[in-house]
Amino acid sequence: MQQKISVIIPCYNVEKYVDRCLQSVIEQTYPDEFMEVICVNDASTDSTLEHLKSWESRYPEMICVVDCAENGRQGRARNVGLQYATGEWIAFVDSDDWIDEDYLEFLNERTVMNGIMMDVVTCGHVRDFGTEADGMSGNGDWTTGNGVAASGNGVA
């Protein structure tokens, strides 16, 4: 069952990373019509906002950029993003991170387990300490957080 997912990305001075982040979100296997991306520029002082506006102009049907006049840190930026979200589910992605192409599909598949609608779905992570510019083929020094956790109706 496809459900609309609002991807909220708080952004502060991430001009070096935000393009890779947004590219990974745009390339999801999850259908575009069930995704919206809300980028909250948290009063960046570098060219982060220009990067975000460029993405918004290329994908106006999917990406919304919200520009905050003063920095409120990541928590406030996430809360601002929630005000714009229209999805049944929320996914938070840090602007200096990137996600696998099936990330949203993977999480969506786990929203119902054993016939029970989950309230929260989480997944593991990989830390990439690569030295290459693309971060994919560095020194092979990776750490992983494995597993999926989901809870619904008081079931953990």
Side-chain angles (χ1 to χ4, degrees), residues 119-136:
D119 297 316
V120 175
V121 180
T122 65
C123 67
H125 65 279
V126 175
R127 290 189 183 225
D128 180 354
F129 298 102
T131 57
E132 298 290 323
D134 69 358
M136 295 297 290

Side-chain angles (χ1 to χ4, degrees), residues 55-76:
W55 281 94
E56 183 182 40
S57 70
R58 286 185 277 171
Y59 299 94
E61 69 289 343
M62 184 184 301
I63 297 177
C64 169
V65 174
V66 180
D67 187 26
C68 296
E70 67 179 60
N71 181 271
R73 299 190 170 260
Q74 187 179 42
R76 191 191 77 157

Side-chain angles (χ1 to χ4, degrees), residues 59-99:
Y59 299 94
E61 69 289 343
M62 184 184 301
I63 297 177
C64 169
V65 174
V66 180
D67 187 26
C68 296
E70 67 179 60
N71 181 271
R73 299 190 170 260
Q74 187 179 42
R76 191 191 77 157
R78 286 181 175 197
N79 288 332
V80 168
L82 286 170
Q83 294 174 3
Y84 288 82
T86 63
E88 290 88 8
W89 288 91
I90 304 294
F92 291 110
V93 177
D94 289 343
S95 53
D96 59 348
D97 292 342
W98 54 273
I99 55 177

Side-chain angles (χ1 to χ4, degrees), residues 5-130:
I5 300 175
S6 298
V7 179
I8 299 174
I9 307 174
C11 303
Y12 178 72
N13 288 349
V14 288
E15 65 185 3
K16 295 179 184 177
Y17 312 106
V18 72
D19 291 328
R20 181 176 184 193
C21 175
L22 284 168
Q23 188 68 42
S24 74
V25 174
I26 293 301
E27 292 176 348
Q28 290 297 296
T29 56
Y30 202 70
D32 291 354
E33 62 269 21
F34 293 102
M35 278 177 41
E36 67 181 356
V37 182
I38 302 159
C39 300
V40 181
N41 180 54
D42 199 17
S44 295
T45 58
D46 64 2
S47 64
T48 296
L49 181 59
E50 289 74 25
H51 286 259
L52 296 176
K53 286 182 176 181
S54 173
W55 281 94
E56 183 182 40
S57 70
R58 286 185 277 171
Y59 299 94
E61 69 289 343
M62 184 184 301
I63 297 177
C64 169
V65 174
V66 180
D67 187 26
C68 296
E70 67 179 60
N71 181 271
R73 299 190 170 260
Q74 187 179 42
R76 191 191 77 157
R78 286 181 175 197
N79 288 332
V80 168
L82 286 170
Q83 294 174 3
Y84 288 82
T86 63
E88 290 88 8
W89 288 91
I90 304 294
F92 291 110
V93 177
D94 289 343
S95 53
D96 59 348
D97 292 342
W98 54 273
I99 55 177
D100 285 336
E101 66 185 12
D102 62 346
Y103 174 76
L104 295 176
E105 187 174 345
F106 178 86
L107 292 177
N108 181 68
E109 289 171 359
R110 282 142 184 88
T111 60
V112 177
M113 297 179 77
N114 300 320
I116 299 171
M117 177 62 83
M118 298 295 114
D119 297 316
V120 175
V121 180
T122 65
C123 67
H125 65 279
V126 175
R127 290 189 183 225
D128 180 354
F129 298 102

